[in-house]
């Protein structure tokens, strides 16, 4: 049995659900599944405790090029630890990376939830042709820009990110510009910033606000199987 450390919450869930017992280390942000057994908490995604990870003697550390910092990954490699860095910019790439990690590297039988996710998204239909912007932070306001996994999921559901052509992947945009963008709705996820009915929609009076699950919008793991239904319900509720 391989010893795995995951530095990515969605990959933590993918491994834990598919092969309980492989994980020996996870981040402080790894919240699913609720029971991660004896896996040690090794810090955040941006500030993992490299020394503690090395002491766990993992056979593999799973990371992501966006969620984790290159210097931390370089330090792990310098200590002789094998590090796999995933890249996820859209749904097909997410499914390929999950196959690569779970089946290709960990040698697991392809999990049923992965096939369920493929079928769920193959059946997903657009709810319309809606223009939107998607804040991920405030103070300062930041939104989804180009080449994002979340933006691709929304596009498959008929929600067009008006900042998808921006030069930056997560541009800072003044709230006045967002309010004047002429969109059909604003999509407000509950992570990384926890937007709520009381914190977010008031900045855009008169604009329908879709409060969506950040886990279903940004995580690539078992949540993908129910994400089309969960996201569609939230988007329709805003109209």
């Amino acid at each position: 049995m391989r010893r795995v450390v995951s530095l990515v919450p969605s990959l933590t869930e993918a491994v834990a659900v598919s092969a309980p017992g492989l994980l020996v280390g996870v981040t402080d942000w790894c919240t699913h599944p609720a029971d991660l057994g004896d896996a040690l908490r090794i810090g955040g995604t941006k500030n993992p405790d490299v020394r503690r990870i090395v002491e766990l003697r993992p056979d593999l550390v799973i990371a992501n090029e966006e969620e984790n910092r290159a210097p931390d990954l370089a330090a792990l490699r310098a200590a002789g630890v094998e590090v796999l860095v995933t890249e996820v910019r859209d749904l097909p790439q997410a499914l390929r990376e999950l196959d690569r990690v779970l089946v290709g590297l960990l040698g697991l039988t392809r999990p049923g939830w992965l096939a369920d996710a493929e079928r769920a998204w193959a059946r997903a239909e657009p709810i319309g042709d809606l223009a939107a912007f998607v804040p991920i932070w405030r103070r300062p306001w930041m939104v989804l820009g180009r080449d994002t996994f979340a933006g691709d999921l929304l596009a498959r559901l008929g929600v067009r990110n008006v900042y998808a052509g921006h030069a930056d992947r997560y541009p800072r945009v003044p709230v006045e510009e967002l309010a004047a963008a002429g969109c059909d709705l604003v999509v407000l996820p509950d992570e990384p910033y926890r937007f709520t009915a009381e914190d977010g929609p008031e900045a855009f009076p008169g604009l329908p606000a879709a409060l969506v699950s950040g886990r279903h919008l940004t995580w690539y793991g078992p949540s993908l199987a129910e994400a089309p239904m969960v996201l569609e319900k939230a988007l329709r509720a805003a109209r």
Side-chain angles (χ1 to χ4, degrees):
M1 181 177 292
R2 304 194 74 179
R3 296 171 59 83
V4 179
V5 170
S6 172
L7 301 182
V8 185
S10 54
L11 293 177
T12 293
E13 183 179 18
V15 174
V17 169
S18 305
L22 287 189
L23 290 168
V24 295
V26 298
T27 76
D28 297 339
W29 300 105
C30 294
T31 57
H32 289 73
D35 182 10
L36 287 169
D38 296 327
L40 184 70
R41 299 288 175 170
I42 48 75
T45 56
K46 304 295 186 186
N47 58 344
D49 188 329
V50 172
R51 179 187 59 80
R52 182 172 292 185
I53 295 173
V54 173
E55 289 175 349
L56 286 172
R57 297 178 291 104
D59 299 303
L60 180 68
V61 171
I62 308 170
N64 176 264
E65 50 94 24
E66 181 174 78
E67 293 196 50
N68 307 118
R69 301 187 320 127
D72 296 322
L73 305 183
L76 288 169
R77 289 190 176 105
V81 177
E82 181 180 354
V83 178
L84 169 70
V85 181
T86 59
E87 179 183 294
V88 175
R89 303 292 177 89
D90 57 29
L91 178 62
Q93 190 175 33
L95 296 172
R96 289 195 302 270
E97 290 287 58
L98 287 165
D99 255 322
R100 180 164 73 109
V101 172
L102 299 173
V103 180
L105 281 174
L106 297 181
L108 306 178
T109 300
R110 198 169 194 265
W113 62 260
L114 192 48
D116 291 342
E118 289 177 327
R119 286 191 291 268
W121 280 101
R123 293 192 300 263
E125 296 183 355
I127 64 172
D129 181 14
L130 303 173
F133 56 91
V134 190
I136 57 168
W137 204 258
R138 67 183 301 177
R139 305 183 195 94
W141 286 92
M142 299 175 67
V143 300
L144 293 184
R146 62 174 178 84
D147 299 332
T148 65
F149 173 70
D152 182 61
L153 294 193
L154 289 172
R156 293 169 187 275
L157 296 174
V159 178
R160 174 171 45 86
N161 175 17
V162 297
Y163 288 96
H166 198 282
D168 298 328
R169 296 188 66 211
Y170 303 101
R172 296 186 180 187
V173 182
V175 67
E176 297 80 10
E177 178 181 327
L178 294 175
C183 290
D184 299 303
L185 77 164
V186 52
V187 178
L188 297 169
D190 60 11
E191 62 175 76
Y193 185 92
R194 188 171 181 78
F195 287 106
T196 67
E198 293 74 35
D199 185 357
E202 81 290 342
F204 312 103
L207 186 63
L211 295 166
V212 304
S213 161
R215 175 167 166 260
H216 291 93
L217 181 63
T218 64
W219 288 35
Y220 39 96
S223 59
L224 277 174
E226 61 182 15
M229 177 186 65
V230 172
L231 294 173
E232 179 183 342
K233 182 179 179 180
L235 292 169
R236 288 191 183 279
R239 301 181 65 186

